[in-house]
Each structure stands twice: as C-alpha cells, then as structure tokens.
Amino acid sequence: MFEELYSDPTPAGNRRDPVLLLLDRDEQNLLATQRLIDQTLVRCQIIGAPDWATALARATAATVDCILVELPGTSAESFELCRRIKEFARTRNIPLVGILPSGTSSPALREALLSGADEVIRRPLEGFEFSSRIRSVLKVRAAEIAYADARDAFARQTAIQTIRLRDYQKAVESSHDPIAIVNRDHCYSLVNSAWLKIHKRRSSEIIGRPVREIIGNELYEAEARPRLERCLRGENIQFEVTVPHPRLGVLHLHTRYTPVVDENGRVEGATVIIRDFTTLKKAEEGRRRALEKAEEKNNHIAAIIRSIADGLLVTDAQNGIVLINPVAESLLGVRAETVLGRSLDEIVGGEASSGTFGESQGKDGWKPIFEIELTDPETGRSRMIRARCSEVQTQTRTNHGVVTLLQDVTREREIDRMKSEFISTAAHELGTPLTTIIGFAELLQEVAEPGSKQDEYLRIIVEKAFGLERLVRELLDLSRIESGLMIPLHKTRINLAQTIQRVVGQCRYPGTGLHRFEVSPSQGPHELLADEGKIVQALENLIGNAVKYSPEGGTVQVGVQGHGDNLEVWVQDQGIGMTPQQIARAFERFFRADNSKTSGLGLGLNIVQKIIEAHEGKIWIASEPGCGTRVSFCLPL
C-alpha cells in the first residue's frame, strides 16, 4: 500500500525507502513514535534526534523526506523551532509535521501552521490516522520532487535546444552561401543574409511566407515544389544549374536540399543551400586549358626532338636515361622503351661508358666534347660518335643531369685519316727536293757576286725554300699529332735565355728588317731540361706571328722570367690584336685571325701548343683589338 501511495518518479532500480527525521527531546516519546512508524509504515527509514543541533547535522548528512517535530506546548519557543527549520536552507523544502499535545486548541494549531508546519497531529497518535496523514505528506513530497525533476529536465532540454538553435542560426547566418529552411507547409522558417541579398528583401518579408509567393508560381511549380516534396519524404537532392547574370555573366550554381529531422526521426522541414562555384568552375576551366596548352607544347617539343638531325640523350643526376630521340636510338642500337630509366653504363657498356660518358658527368673529369667508338650491331663495323654534353642546372646551380648531343662522325674521321695520310705523304715527298734546292742555292750563293742580281735572286730562293721547309716540318708534326703520336722530344740541359737571344738574332723571316726586337733583360741562367730544337721552333712561330700581324716599324718584345718552379716566356707585339672570339679559336688547326693580309696555313699556334704541352707546360694569350697581342708560355724547371 505504501508503495502505491508514495510513488517515487526515479527508475525502479534507483528507488530508495523514504527517510523520516524525528525530533523529540523526550526519549520515551521518541521511542514510542518510532515503534508506531515501524508498525504502520513499512520500508521506511527513521532517524532520531533529541535536539535541534543533532537534527540539523543528521538532516545535512542524509536525504530526508519528512521531519516530525514534537512540540511539547504552545509556547513561542516551540513554534520558533518550526520557523528555524523552515528558514534553514538545507531543510526549507522538506515537509514538516508538528506533533502537539492532546487537547491543543485550534488557535494553537493555526499558530503551528503559520510557524511553518505543513501538517499538525494531536496526541494521542492513532495508528491508521497517523500513517494516513504521514503517507499524504510523503506523497505530496514525492510529487513535488517529481515535478521539480521534470521541470529541471525540461529547462535543461530547453537550454540545450536553445543553444543548438542559436549555434545553428550563427552558422547559417555566417555562411556566404544562401541558406533557407522551409517547413512542411512550404513556408520559410529561417533565411540568412545571403538569401535575403539574392531576393533583395528584408527578413520580415520572407519569414513565415510561402515559397510560392516569394519566387513566383511558375518557378515554384516547375522547380521548387517537386524537389521540396521529395526532400520532405526524406530524400537528399543536389543538382547544378547555369544561370545568366546581367552583370556577372554566366553563374554556375550548386543547389542542395537536405531534410530537417527532429529527435523522433520525423522530417519537419527542408534546408536549401545554394553555392556559387563559378570561380571554381572558371579555375577548373583554366586548368583544363593550361593542361591542353601544356600537352600541345609537350607534343610540339616532342616533334622538335624527333626532328633533330643529331642524336639527343638526356640523363639524370644518377646517370639514368630519361629521354632519347630516334636518331640516338639508331646510333646506339637501342629502343627507347627498353632503355628509359636504365643506367647509361648498362646501355653503352664497358670502357666506352666509364671512360667517356662517365667522365663527362664527373666534377673533376668534365669533358663537354668527346668522341667514342661504338660497334654497329647490324654491320659489325666501328662507328665514331662525337658527344657534346651540357649540364642541366637549376637556379641554385644544382646539377639535375646532362644533355648530350650525338653525331655520327665516322665519315669525317675517315676523311681526316685520308687527309692526314695525304699530308704526311706530301710532306715526305717535298722534303727531299727542298733539301736539294736549298743545298744547290747556297752553293750558287757562294760563287755569286755580292750585291748582284744573281745574289739577290738566290737569297730570295733560299728564304722561300727555308719557309717552305718550315711549312713541311709543321705538316709532319701535324701528321704525327693527328695519328695520336706525341711530338718526339730529345731533352737536354739548355739555357733558355741564351736560346731566346740566338733565335731573335737569327730571325730570317721576310720583312723582319722593318721591325725592332727587344729582349727583356733576365737574371740568372734559367736552365731547364728541354728539347732545344722544339723550343726554337715554338719561338720562331711566335716571333713570326708577331712580325706578320704588326705594322712596319713596330716593336716585338721577347722575355723570360722565373716564377717559382716554372719559367715564363712571352712574345709581345704592337699589332692588330685579337677579339675574345678569336682568342678562343687561336689554337685550332688552320685558324687564321686575318686571312687577307698574312700567308700560312694557320698551323703554327696549334703546333706550338702541342710542343709546350709535350714539355708539360701551359700556353695562353692576352690581347685586345688594336692593342697588340701577348703570347706567354711556361715550362717546368
């Protein structure tokens, strides 16, 4: 019966027995009341207290559902206790039952109720009446607790919903995309500023109004209504449209309809979001056009690469092949699909790769131009391939690989070989008759009358013969160099300063009488181990060039000076000078700076370079147009 009267709203698993606090100073009365409660109210917990201080402490320590206070009389002190219980925050809301002595008057009962008692009972305490009135108080107490809990839960839920709605409204309002919420009656419930901007209306003109009225009946029936009905049935809808704009041109819009679902899963509205992705569309279109242009450019570059007459080979920093054109495929006897990504060493293989391509890509052994000999896989014949290499560098000068141009120079090398053989044969064939001509001309000079025409003619014959002999000697040296042979040296200990004095004093070139020669003074003997004949040949070539390219009456300076473990020799003229481009080609075979005013084959400086290099020395040129030329070389002591 008690459980029916006192229905605790808490779940069954969490229910507790009601707690009664008895405050009575008379111990006998306290015990008697406890026994009565035990007999009439089952499953009820009782806490006794003999005074107010103890009652307050126990009420604070436990959850009390009802306080029973023994009011021994009708004095102000008894009613003051009721007031204190109701004024104390911890016990203010707990039902208070006052127990008064038998025969208490009605005014006293009224005073007890006015002092804070929720119920008053006069002794003697009858079991049924007492339990009924206590049950009533507990039932009211349980109802109050349930109501308070429900009210608090509702308040919390309302606060949560309010916060969520506020956050949702903030999110909707802060979005740059137009957003609207439409209820089940197809009326606007919420719109953001972007949506208002589109329709050029105020919020009060849209909220609560039908969609038909805002966008027009035709658009509503054709577009909005079918989609809203599908969305309100729980379907997500999204689509793209293209809309012409009078000022912004064509706009690309993405529209999405999303159902709004309540806590029970019922669709109560639709969220409509319109996103302008015109900029993204234009960016995508720009990327597409850029890709098309890049592809077109790549095809154009590929066509150029295929059309190059020379072989083209590109390798990365690890010597792996990243590009090869058809000509290079033919020269190397490979197919692009089988070699791309593989190491160049694997493709060229052997000594050809390690000795040439390998060195071309090394920091210490960089060779921008070199030749390799490869075997034609079809004919088995040897082919000479000239390679021109260039580093692929970034703006930070980081090496990203090498670009190599390949040319088949087999025919050119065969022609060079035939030319060298011809030059060698011609030089040898000319050598014997020249020796005879010089010998007989010198014999005739001895018997000719000095100063006569015969003596003059013979002097010219001898000078020209010696010039031709010098040319034949240069051709023989060139033939040896082109055959891969070093210039033969017969080294002896020589005094370089004396050798220079002798060469300058014996100048026998035509027209040298119109030039002045100066030999810079030198200190020390300047002795070194060298082939004196070859050094004389080099000096004669350099002095001869100085005379040929100098104006009449110009000065030619020759000097030698020691620099540590080397001797430096220089020949300087006051001639026409050379441009940087001419200096870069000066040591090439058959190159002549000015073909119109000088004679010769253009072999002199090339042979001088080979002679100096054979002595492990170096040679260089310093010149400017119109300021003369200084050719210097140094030899190790």
Short mmCIF file of all heavy atoms in Angstrom, two decimals, residues 288-349:
data_model
loop_
_atom_site.label_atom_id
_atom_site.label_comp_id
_atom_site.label_asym_id
_atom_site.label_seq_id
_atom_site.Cartn_x
_atom_site.Cartn_y
_atom_site.Cartn_z
N ARG A 288 42.08 23.21 -67.18
CA ARG A 288 41.91 22.35 -68.35
C ARG A 288 42.60 22.95 -69.57
O ARG A 288 43.30 22.24 -70.31
CB ARG A 288 40.42 22.16 -68.64
CG ARG A 288 40.12 21.18 -69.77
CD ARG A 288 38.64 21.15 -70.07
NE ARG A 288 38.16 22.45 -70.54
CZ ARG A 288 38.33 22.88 -71.80
NH1 ARG A 288 38.97 22.14 -72.68
NH2 ARG A 288 37.85 24.05 -72.16
N ARG A 289 42.42 24.27 -69.76
CA ARG A 289 43.08 24.91 -70.89
C ARG A 289 44.59 24.88 -70.74
O ARG A 289 45.32 24.69 -71.72
CB ARG A 289 42.60 26.36 -71.01
CG ARG A 289 41.13 26.48 -71.42
CD ARG A 289 40.69 27.93 -71.44
NE ARG A 289 39.28 28.05 -71.80
CZ ARG A 289 38.61 29.19 -71.78
NH1 ARG A 289 39.23 30.32 -71.41
NH2 ARG A 289 37.33 29.21 -72.12
N ALA A 290 45.07 25.10 -69.48
CA ALA A 290 46.52 25.05 -69.24
C ALA A 290 47.07 23.66 -69.56
O ALA A 290 48.16 23.52 -70.13
CB ALA A 290 46.83 25.45 -67.80
N LEU A 291 46.31 22.63 -69.15
CA LEU A 291 46.75 21.25 -69.45
C LEU A 291 46.76 21.00 -70.95
O LEU A 291 47.67 20.34 -71.47
CB LEU A 291 45.83 20.25 -68.74
CG LEU A 291 45.97 20.16 -67.22
CD1 LEU A 291 44.92 19.23 -66.64
CD2 LEU A 291 47.36 19.66 -66.83
N GLU A 292 45.75 21.53 -71.64
CA GLU A 292 45.73 21.36 -73.10
C GLU A 292 46.92 22.07 -73.74
O GLU A 292 47.57 21.52 -74.64
CB GLU A 292 44.42 21.92 -73.65
CG GLU A 292 43.19 21.08 -73.32
CD GLU A 292 41.91 21.70 -73.86
OE1 GLU A 292 42.00 22.82 -74.42
OE2 GLU A 292 40.84 21.05 -73.75
N LYS A 293 47.21 23.30 -73.25
CA LYS A 293 48.35 24.02 -73.79
C LYS A 293 49.66 23.30 -73.47
O LYS A 293 50.56 23.21 -74.31
CB LYS A 293 48.39 25.45 -73.23
CG LYS A 293 47.30 26.36 -73.78
CD LYS A 293 47.45 27.78 -73.23
CE LYS A 293 46.38 28.69 -73.81
NZ LYS A 293 46.50 30.08 -73.28
N ALA A 294 49.74 22.79 -72.21
CA ALA A 294 50.96 22.06 -71.83
C ALA A 294 51.12 20.81 -72.69
O ALA A 294 52.23 20.48 -73.13
CB ALA A 294 50.90 21.70 -70.35
N GLU A 295 50.00 20.11 -72.92
CA GLU A 295 50.07 18.92 -73.76
C GLU A 295 50.45 19.28 -75.18
O GLU A 295 51.26 18.59 -75.82
CB GLU A 295 48.72 18.20 -73.73
CG GLU A 295 48.72 16.88 -74.48
CD GLU A 295 47.41 16.15 -74.35
OE1 GLU A 295 46.51 16.68 -73.65
OE2 GLU A 295 47.27 15.08 -74.95
N GLU A 296 49.88 20.40 -75.68
CA GLU A 296 50.23 20.85 -77.02
C GLU A 296 51.70 21.22 -77.11
O GLU A 296 52.39 20.88 -78.07
CB GLU A 296 49.35 22.05 -77.39
CG GLU A 296 49.60 22.59 -78.79
CD GLU A 296 48.73 23.80 -79.10
OE1 GLU A 296 47.84 24.10 -78.29
OE2 GLU A 296 48.96 24.43 -80.16
N LYS A 297 52.18 21.91 -76.04
CA LYS A 297 53.59 22.29 -76.02
C LYS A 297 54.48 21.06 -75.93
O LYS A 297 55.53 20.98 -76.60
CB LYS A 297 53.86 23.23 -74.84
CG LYS A 297 55.28 23.79 -74.80
CD LYS A 297 55.45 24.77 -73.67
CE LYS A 297 54.64 26.03 -73.90
NZ LYS A 297 54.89 27.04 -72.85
N ASN A 298 54.07 20.09 -75.10
CA ASN A 298 54.86 18.86 -74.99
C ASN A 298 54.91 18.12 -76.33
O ASN A 298 55.95 17.58 -76.71
CB ASN A 298 54.26 17.96 -73.91
CG ASN A 298 54.50 18.48 -72.52
OD1 ASN A 298 55.42 19.26 -72.30
ND2 ASN A 298 53.68 18.08 -71.57
N ASN A 299 53.76 18.10 -77.02
CA ASN A 299 53.75 17.45 -78.33
C ASN A 299 54.65 18.19 -79.31
O ASN A 299 55.34 17.57 -80.13
CB ASN A 299 52.31 17.40 -78.88
CG ASN A 299 51.42 16.48 -78.07
OD1 ASN A 299 51.90 15.55 -77.41
ND2 ASN A 299 50.12 16.72 -78.09
N HIS A 300 54.62 19.54 -79.20
CA HIS A 300 55.49 20.34 -80.06
C HIS A 300 56.96 20.06 -79.77
O HIS A 300 57.77 19.89 -80.70
CB HIS A 300 55.16 21.82 -79.87
CG HIS A 300 55.93 22.74 -80.78
ND1 HIS A 300 55.83 22.69 -82.15
CD2 HIS A 300 56.84 23.72 -80.49
CE1 HIS A 300 56.63 23.60 -82.69
NE2 HIS A 300 57.25 24.24 -81.71
N ILE A 301 57.29 20.02 -78.47
CA ILE A 301 58.68 19.73 -78.09
C ILE A 301 59.07 18.33 -78.54
O ILE A 301 60.19 18.10 -79.03
CB ILE A 301 58.84 19.89 -76.57
CG1 ILE A 301 58.67 21.36 -76.16
CG2 ILE A 301 60.21 19.38 -76.12
CD1 ILE A 301 58.66 21.60 -74.68
N ALA A 302 58.13 17.37 -78.36
CA ALA A 302 58.43 16.01 -78.79
C ALA A 302 58.67 15.95 -80.29
O ALA A 302 59.56 15.22 -80.77
CB ALA A 302 57.28 15.08 -78.39
N ALA A 303 57.88 16.72 -81.06
CA ALA A 303 58.07 16.76 -82.51
C ALA A 303 59.43 17.36 -82.86
O ALA A 303 60.12 16.89 -83.77
CB ALA A 303 56.94 17.56 -83.16
N ILE A 304 59.81 18.42 -82.12
CA ILE A 304 61.13 19.04 -82.36
C ILE A 304 62.24 18.04 -82.06
O ILE A 304 63.20 17.89 -82.83
CB ILE A 304 61.29 20.30 -81.51
CG1 ILE A 304 60.32 21.38 -81.98
CG2 ILE A 304 62.72 20.82 -81.56
CD1 ILE A 304 60.30 22.63 -81.13
N ILE A 305 62.10 17.34 -80.92
CA ILE A 305 63.13 16.36 -80.54
C ILE A 305 63.23 15.26 -81.58
O ILE A 305 64.33 14.82 -81.95
CB ILE A 305 62.80 15.78 -79.15
CG1 ILE A 305 62.97 16.87 -78.07
CG2 ILE A 305 63.69 14.59 -78.83
CD1 ILE A 305 62.53 16.44 -76.70
N ARG A 306 62.06 14.81 -82.09
CA ARG A 306 62.09 13.77 -83.12
C ARG A 306 62.71 14.27 -84.41
O ARG A 306 63.27 13.49 -85.19
CB ARG A 306 60.67 13.26 -83.39
CG ARG A 306 60.09 12.40 -82.30
CD ARG A 306 58.84 11.68 -82.77
NE ARG A 306 57.81 12.63 -83.20
CZ ARG A 306 56.87 13.12 -82.41
NH1 ARG A 306 56.84 12.76 -81.13
NH2 ARG A 306 55.97 13.97 -82.87
N SER A 307 62.60 15.59 -84.66
CA SER A 307 63.09 16.15 -85.92
C SER A 307 64.56 16.54 -85.87
O SER A 307 65.12 16.90 -86.91
CB SER A 307 62.25 17.39 -86.29
OG SER A 307 60.87 17.06 -86.36
N ILE A 308 65.18 16.52 -84.70
CA ILE A 308 66.59 16.90 -84.60
C ILE A 308 67.43 15.89 -85.38
O ILE A 308 67.28 14.68 -85.24
CB ILE A 308 67.03 16.95 -83.13
CG1 ILE A 308 66.30 18.08 -82.39
CG2 ILE A 308 68.54 17.16 -83.02
CD1 ILE A 308 66.61 18.15 -80.92
N ALA A 309 68.31 16.42 -86.23
CA ALA A 309 69.14 15.54 -87.06
C ALA A 309 70.18 14.79 -86.24
O ALA A 309 70.65 13.73 -86.64
CB ALA A 309 69.81 16.35 -88.16
N ASP A 310 70.57 15.35 -85.10
CA ASP A 310 71.56 14.71 -84.23
C ASP A 310 70.85 13.86 -83.19
O ASP A 310 69.67 14.05 -82.89
CB ASP A 310 72.42 15.76 -83.52
CG ASP A 310 73.25 16.56 -84.50
OD1 ASP A 310 73.57 16.03 -85.58
OD2 ASP A 310 73.56 17.73 -84.19
N GLY A 311 71.59 12.92 -82.63
CA GLY A 311 71.05 12.12 -81.53
C GLY A 311 70.97 12.95 -80.26
O GLY A 311 71.88 13.73 -79.96
N LEU A 312 69.87 12.82 -79.52
CA LEU A 312 69.68 13.55 -78.27
C LEU A 312 69.49 12.56 -77.13
O LEU A 312 68.63 11.67 -77.21
CB LEU A 312 68.46 14.47 -78.37
CG LEU A 312 68.12 15.28 -77.11
CD1 LEU A 312 69.23 16.27 -76.79
CD2 LEU A 312 66.80 16.01 -77.27
N LEU A 313 70.29 12.73 -76.09
CA LEU A 313 70.26 11.81 -74.95
C LEU A 313 70.27 12.66 -73.68
O LEU A 313 71.14 13.51 -73.51
CB LEU A 313 71.47 10.88 -74.98
CG LEU A 313 71.56 9.79 -73.93
CD1 LEU A 313 70.47 8.74 -74.15
CD2 LEU A 313 72.92 9.12 -73.98
N VAL A 314 69.28 12.44 -72.80
CA VAL A 314 69.20 13.18 -71.54
C VAL A 314 69.27 12.18 -70.39
O VAL A 314 68.52 11.19 -70.37
CB VAL A 314 67.90 13.99 -71.44
CG1 VAL A 314 67.86 14.79 -70.14
CG2 VAL A 314 67.77 14.94 -72.63
N THR A 315 70.18 12.42 -69.46
CA THR A 315 70.34 11.56 -68.29
C THR A 315 70.15 12.38 -67.03
O THR A 315 70.39 13.60 -67.02
CB THR A 315 71.72 10.90 -68.26
OG1 THR A 315 72.74 11.92 -68.35
CG2 THR A 315 71.90 9.94 -69.43
N ASP A 316 69.71 11.74 -65.96
CA ASP A 316 69.50 12.44 -64.69
C ASP A 316 70.79 12.43 -63.88
O ASP A 316 71.85 11.99 -64.35
CB ASP A 316 68.35 11.79 -63.91
CG ASP A 316 68.58 10.31 -63.64
OD1 ASP A 316 69.75 9.87 -63.63
OD2 ASP A 316 67.59 9.58 -63.42
N ALA A 317 70.69 12.94 -62.64
CA ALA A 317 71.87 13.06 -61.80
C ALA A 317 72.46 11.71 -61.45
O ALA A 317 73.65 11.61 -61.10
CB ALA A 317 71.53 13.83 -60.52
N GLN A 318 71.66 10.64 -61.51
CA GLN A 318 72.16 9.29 -61.22
C GLN A 318 72.57 8.55 -62.49
O GLN A 318 72.75 7.33 -62.48
CB GLN A 318 71.10 8.47 -60.48
CG GLN A 318 70.88 8.88 -59.03
CD GLN A 318 70.16 10.20 -58.90
OE1 GLN A 318 69.21 10.46 -59.65
NE2 GLN A 318 70.60 11.05 -57.97
N ASN A 319 72.71 9.27 -63.62
CA ASN A 319 73.14 8.70 -64.89
C ASN A 319 72.08 7.80 -65.50
O ASN A 319 72.38 6.97 -66.36
CB ASN A 319 74.46 7.92 -64.73
CG ASN A 319 75.26 7.91 -66.02
OD1 ASN A 319 75.12 8.80 -66.85
ND2 ASN A 319 76.08 6.89 -66.21
N GLY A 320 70.82 7.94 -65.08
CA GLY A 320 69.74 7.18 -65.68
C GLY A 320 69.18 7.90 -66.88
O GLY A 320 69.06 9.13 -66.90
N ILE A 321 68.81 7.15 -67.92
CA ILE A 321 68.29 7.75 -69.16
C ILE A 321 66.84 8.17 -68.95
O ILE A 321 66.00 7.36 -68.56
CB ILE A 321 68.40 6.75 -70.32
CG1 ILE A 321 69.87 6.37 -70.57
CG2 ILE A 321 67.79 7.32 -71.59
CD1 ILE A 321 70.06 5.31 -71.62
N VAL A 322 66.55 9.45 -69.22
CA VAL A 322 65.19 9.96 -69.08
C VAL A 322 64.59 10.37 -70.43
O VAL A 322 63.38 10.52 -70.55
CB VAL A 322 65.14 11.16 -68.10
CG1 VAL A 322 65.55 10.72 -66.72
CG2 VAL A 322 66.05 12.30 -68.58
N LEU A 323 65.44 10.54 -71.46
CA LEU A 323 64.94 10.93 -72.78
C LEU A 323 65.94 10.49 -73.83
O LEU A 323 67.16 10.64 -73.66
CB LEU A 323 64.73 12.45 -72.85
CG LEU A 323 64.23 13.00 -74.20
CD1 LEU A 323 62.84 12.47 -74.51
CD2 LEU A 323 64.24 14.53 -74.19
N ILE A 324 65.41 9.95 -74.94
CA ILE A 324 66.27 9.55 -76.05
C ILE A 324 65.44 9.70 -77.32
O ILE A 324 64.29 9.29 -77.38
CB ILE A 324 66.79 8.11 -75.87
CG1 ILE A 324 67.75 7.74 -77.01
CG2 ILE A 324 65.67 7.11 -75.74
CD1 ILE A 324 68.49 6.43 -76.79
N ASN A 325 66.02 10.33 -78.36
CA ASN A 325 65.26 10.52 -79.60
C ASN A 325 65.59 9.41 -80.60
O ASN A 325 66.53 8.62 -80.39
CB ASN A 325 65.52 11.92 -80.17
CG ASN A 325 66.90 12.06 -80.79
OD1 ASN A 325 67.78 11.25 -80.53
ND2 ASN A 325 67.08 13.08 -81.60
N PRO A 326 64.83 9.31 -81.71
CA PRO A 326 65.04 8.21 -82.65
C PRO A 326 66.46 8.15 -83.22
O PRO A 326 66.99 7.06 -83.46
CB PRO A 326 64.01 8.50 -83.75
CG PRO A 326 62.92 9.25 -83.05
CD PRO A 326 63.61 10.08 -82.05
N VAL A 327 67.09 9.32 -83.47
CA VAL A 327 68.45 9.31 -84.03
C VAL A 327 69.42 8.69 -83.04
O VAL A 327 70.29 7.88 -83.41
CB VAL A 327 68.88 10.74 -84.40
CG1 VAL A 327 70.30 10.75 -84.93
CG2 VAL A 327 67.92 11.34 -85.42
N ALA A 328 69.27 9.05 -81.74
CA ALA A 328 70.14 8.45 -80.73
C ALA A 328 69.87 6.95 -80.60
O ALA A 328 70.81 6.16 -80.38
CB ALA A 328 69.92 9.14 -79.39
N GLU A 329 68.61 6.55 -80.74
CA GLU A 329 68.31 5.12 -80.72
C GLU A 329 69.07 4.40 -81.83
O GLU A 329 69.65 3.32 -81.62
CB GLU A 329 66.80 4.90 -80.90
CG GLU A 329 65.94 5.39 -79.75
CD GLU A 329 64.47 5.15 -80.02
OE1 GLU A 329 64.13 4.04 -80.49
OE2 GLU A 329 63.65 6.06 -79.78
N SER A 330 69.07 5.01 -83.04
CA SER A 330 69.76 4.39 -84.17
C SER A 330 71.26 4.35 -83.95
O SER A 330 71.92 3.34 -84.23
CB SER A 330 69.42 5.16 -85.45
OG SER A 330 70.14 4.65 -86.55
N LEU A 331 71.82 5.45 -83.44
CA LEU A 331 73.28 5.50 -83.22
C LEU A 331 73.74 4.49 -82.18
O LEU A 331 74.80 3.86 -82.32
CB LEU A 331 73.69 6.90 -82.81
CG LEU A 331 73.56 8.00 -83.88
CD1 LEU A 331 73.93 9.35 -83.28
CD2 LEU A 331 74.47 7.69 -85.07
N LEU A 332 72.94 4.32 -81.11
CA LEU A 332 73.33 3.43 -80.02
C LEU A 332 72.79 2.02 -80.21
O LEU A 332 73.12 1.12 -79.44
CB LEU A 332 72.85 3.99 -78.68
CG LEU A 332 73.41 5.37 -78.29
CD1 LEU A 332 72.82 5.83 -76.98
CD2 LEU A 332 74.93 5.34 -78.20
N GLY A 333 71.91 1.82 -81.22
CA GLY A 333 71.37 0.49 -81.47
C GLY A 333 70.43 0.00 -80.39
O GLY A 333 70.48 -1.18 -80.02
N VAL A 334 69.57 0.92 -79.86
CA VAL A 334 68.65 0.55 -78.77
C VAL A 334 67.26 1.06 -79.12
O VAL A 334 67.07 1.78 -80.09
CB VAL A 334 69.12 1.13 -77.42
CG1 VAL A 334 70.48 0.57 -77.02
CG2 VAL A 334 69.18 2.67 -77.49
N ARG A 335 66.28 0.65 -78.30
CA ARG A 335 64.91 1.14 -78.40
C ARG A 335 64.57 1.91 -77.13
O ARG A 335 64.94 1.49 -76.03
CB ARG A 335 63.93 -0.02 -78.59
CG ARG A 335 64.18 -0.85 -79.83
CD ARG A 335 63.91 -0.07 -81.09
NE ARG A 335 62.50 0.34 -81.16
CZ ARG A 335 62.02 1.16 -82.09
NH1 ARG A 335 62.83 1.68 -83.01
NH2 ARG A 335 60.74 1.47 -82.10
N ALA A 336 63.82 3.02 -77.29
CA ALA A 336 63.52 3.88 -76.14
C ALA A 336 62.78 3.12 -75.05
O ALA A 336 63.07 3.28 -73.86
CB ALA A 336 62.70 5.09 -76.60
N GLU A 337 61.80 2.28 -75.42
CA GLU A 337 61.00 1.60 -74.40
C GLU A 337 61.81 0.62 -73.57
O GLU A 337 61.40 0.23 -72.49
CB GLU A 337 59.82 0.88 -75.06
CG GLU A 337 60.21 -0.11 -76.13
CD GLU A 337 60.21 0.52 -77.52
OE1 GLU A 337 60.29 1.78 -77.59
OE2 GLU A 337 60.14 -0.23 -78.51
N THR A 338 62.99 0.22 -74.06
CA THR A 338 63.80 -0.75 -73.32
C THR A 338 64.92 -0.09 -72.50
O THR A 338 65.54 -0.77 -71.68
CB THR A 338 64.42 -1.77 -74.27
OG1 THR A 338 65.29 -1.10 -75.19
CG2 THR A 338 63.34 -2.52 -75.04
N VAL A 339 65.19 1.20 -72.75
CA VAL A 339 66.33 1.83 -72.06
C VAL A 339 65.92 2.94 -71.11
O VAL A 339 66.72 3.33 -70.25
CB VAL A 339 67.34 2.38 -73.08
CG1 VAL A 339 67.88 1.25 -73.95
CG2 VAL A 339 66.71 3.48 -73.94
N LEU A 340 64.72 3.50 -71.26
CA LEU A 340 64.31 4.60 -70.37
C LEU A 340 64.30 4.14 -68.92
O LEU A 340 63.73 3.10 -68.59
CB LEU A 340 62.94 5.13 -70.76
CG LEU A 340 62.87 5.90 -72.08
CD1 LEU A 340 61.43 6.33 -72.38
CD2 LEU A 340 63.77 7.12 -72.04
N GLY A 341 64.94 4.93 -68.06
CA GLY A 341 65.03 4.59 -66.65
C GLY A 341 66.24 3.75 -66.29
O GLY A 341 66.60 3.65 -65.12
N ARG A 342 66.90 3.17 -67.29
CA ARG A 342 68.08 2.35 -67.02
C ARG A 342 69.33 3.22 -67.01
O ARG A 342 69.37 4.32 -67.57
CB ARG A 342 68.21 1.24 -68.06
CG ARG A 342 67.07 0.23 -68.01
CD ARG A 342 67.13 -0.72 -69.18
NE ARG A 342 68.40 -1.44 -69.23
CZ ARG A 342 68.75 -2.24 -70.25
NH1 ARG A 342 67.93 -2.37 -71.28
NH2 ARG A 342 69.90 -2.86 -70.22
N SER A 343 70.40 2.69 -66.40
CA SER A 343 71.65 3.44 -66.33
C SER A 343 72.31 3.47 -67.69
O SER A 343 72.28 2.50 -68.46
CB SER A 343 72.59 2.79 -65.30
OG SER A 343 73.88 3.38 -65.35
N LEU A 344 72.95 4.61 -68.01
CA LEU A 344 73.66 4.75 -69.27
C LEU A 344 74.80 3.75 -69.36
O LEU A 344 75.15 3.28 -70.45
CB LEU A 344 74.18 6.19 -69.41
CG LEU A 344 74.92 6.53 -70.70
CD1 LEU A 344 74.01 6.35 -71.90
CD2 LEU A 344 75.45 7.95 -70.65
N ASP A 345 75.41 3.42 -68.21
CA ASP A 345 76.50 2.45 -68.22
C ASP A 345 76.04 1.10 -68.75
O ASP A 345 76.78 0.39 -69.43
CB ASP A 345 77.06 2.27 -66.79
CG ASP A 345 77.65 3.57 -66.27
OD1 ASP A 345 78.06 4.39 -67.10
OD2 ASP A 345 77.70 3.76 -65.04
N GLU A 346 74.78 0.72 -68.44
CA GLU A 346 74.27 -0.55 -68.93
C GLU A 346 74.06 -0.52 -70.43
O GLU A 346 74.25 -1.54 -71.12
CB GLU A 346 72.92 -0.87 -68.25
CG GLU A 346 72.98 -1.00 -66.74
CD GLU A 346 71.60 -1.29 -66.17
OE1 GLU A 346 70.81 -1.93 -66.88
OE2 GLU A 346 71.32 -0.87 -65.04
N ILE A 347 73.65 0.64 -70.96
CA ILE A 347 73.31 0.73 -72.37
C ILE A 347 74.56 0.81 -73.24
O ILE A 347 74.74 0.04 -74.19
CB ILE A 347 72.39 1.94 -72.64
CG1 ILE A 347 71.19 1.90 -71.69
CG2 ILE A 347 71.96 1.98 -74.08
CD1 ILE A 347 70.42 0.59 -71.73
N VAL A 348 75.44 1.79 -72.91
CA VAL A 348 76.67 1.95 -73.70
C VAL A 348 77.65 0.85 -73.35
O VAL A 348 78.24 0.21 -74.20
CB VAL A 348 77.28 3.35 -73.47
CG1 VAL A 348 78.54 3.51 -74.27
CG2 VAL A 348 76.26 4.41 -73.85
N GLY A 349 77.79 0.65 -72.04
CA GLY A 349 78.57 -0.50 -71.56
C GLY A 349 80.07 -0.34 -71.71
O GLY A 349 80.59 0.39 -72.52
#
